[in-house]
Amino acid sequence: FAHQISEYRQFQHAAVHDLLQDLDTRGLVEGICVLQGFADSMHSVFLTVAVLLIPAFVLTFFIKEVPLRTTVGSMQGTAELPPRQVGTIVVRPVRPTDDVALERFYDRLSLQARRTRFLATTRGLTPTQSVSFCTPDHHHREGFVAEAADASGTRIVGHLCLEPNGPREVEVAIVVADDYQRRGLGTRLVLAGAAWARGEGFTSLTATMLAANGPIHRLLTGLGLGYRMRSVDAELSRIEIDLAQARLAA
């Protein structure tokens, strides 16, 4: 009886072993088949993509390049972007006929721009002030405007005036339209004023400004001309530019 049990166990082990071998072999074959099928499918995908890319690549040589549009879309449609500048900005001496345009220019300035120009809050120019700015004698008093074209036509976008402060000193004041700032327009106006002042025999160009007005400080001290700066009080500072040295260096 013990011998029969031993033979039965040996027969059972052999059967299990054969079964496991059969399962391993079938699993391996099935795995190889799956991998082969995956490889075949990927080959077909890459081949299809390659066939589609070749004509697409050829078409790029025949498609005309279109410049980017200056329009932005919205839910209601498209709106054209306003141009920052159209045409050339001209800096020229002020004329008596500029009085209305100059008054309109000051009306369009922001409250902050008018405050930095007049060192106080104002509503703009009165007609009398505008006429006075536009009628200098061009020898002791002078003014310059920057004139530009926009969508509505030609308009003044910058103004500089020069008033004598003694026989050899001239005081300068400047303002540029809010939408034309940081384009070098202030520098062009000041250099035009400095050239006129040198030609009329002035040796110094002075400016009184708000101490917190960083842009005008950077403008006047960045001209490449010799200057001296001092504090007038807690709110005001004063810069004096030496035009005599600038004339000698020219």
Side-chain angles (χ1 to χ4, degrees):
F1 180 74
H3 177 70
Q4 290 179 346
I5 291 177
S6 177
E7 288 181 351
Y8 174 75
R9 287 179 176 175
Q10 290 178 359
F11 173 78
Q12 190 179 40
H13 286 318
V16 171
H17 178 72
D18 293 340
L19 179 61
L20 290 175
Q21 280 190 331
D22 184 55
L23 289 175
D24 290 343
T25 302
R26 282 186 296 173
L28 180 60
V29 172
E30 290 177 357
I32 292 174
C33 291
V34 171
L35 290 176
Q36 183 64 40
F38 179 75
D40 292 341
S41 63
M42 291 301 295
H43 176 74
S44 300
V45 170
F46 282 114
L47 183 61
T48 303
V49 171
V51 171
L52 293 175
L53 284 177
I54 291 173
F57 178 74
V58 173
L59 285 174
T60 59
F61 292 98
F62 300 95
I63 297 175
K64 183 178 179 181
E65 183 178 359
V66 179
L68 293 174
R69 296 181 302 170
T70 58
T71 58
V72 288
S74 64
M75 295 181 64
Q76 291 77 22
T78 58
E80 187 175 354
L81 291 174
R84 289 182 61 84
Q85 178 179 340
V86 179
T88 303
I89 299 178
V90 177
V91 174
R92 60 168 176 80
V94 70
R95 302 167 185 157
T97 54
D98 290 326
D99 57 338
V100 175
L102 190 64
E103 187 176 349
R104 187 179 299 118
F105 162 69
Y106 276 93
D107 286 341
R108 290 175 175 174
L109 292 176
S110 65
L111 292 175
Q112 180 62 24
R114 287 200 294 266
R115 180 173 181 272
T116 56
R117 164 61 180 87
F118 295 106
L119 310 181
T121 301
T122 65
R123 293 185 177 181
L125 292 184
T126 65
T128 301
Q129 289 173 319
S130 183
V131 170
S132 176
F133 279 143
C134 293
T135 54
D137 62 9
H138 301 293
H139 292 290
H140 303 91
R141 298 174 60 246
E142 184 58 287
F144 289 89
V145 294
E147 196 173 55
D150 61 14
S152 61
T154 301
R155 68 184 178 106
I156 293 175
V157 295
H159 177 226
L160 176 138
C161 62
L162 301 118
E163 295 285 340
N165 190 25
R168 299 298 179 187
E169 182 179 290
V170 62
E171 180 87 9
V172 63
I174 182 173
V175 64
V176 175
D178 295 85
D179 55 336
Y180 275 80
Q181 292 179 9
R182 294 179 295 277
R183 302 190 192 185
L185 188 53
T187 300
R188 289 180 59 187
L189 284 165
V190 173
L191 290 178
W196 170 84
R198 286 197 302 267
E200 294 298 326
F202 292 100
T203 59
S204 64
L205 186 72
T206 61
T208 303
M209 67 210 73
L210 295 172
N213 189 352
I216 192 64
H217 280 81
R218 290 190 294 272
L219 168 62
L220 295 177
T221 60
L223 297 172
L225 306 176
Y227 69 90
R228 292 182 295 273
M229 183 165 56
R230 64 181 179 85
S231 176
V232 177
D233 55 32
E235 294 186 356
L236 300 177
S237 61
R238 181 179 176 85
I239 293 178
E240 180 180 346
I241 297 173
D242 193 339
L243 295 178
Q245 288 186 1
R247 180 172 55 190
L248 291 173

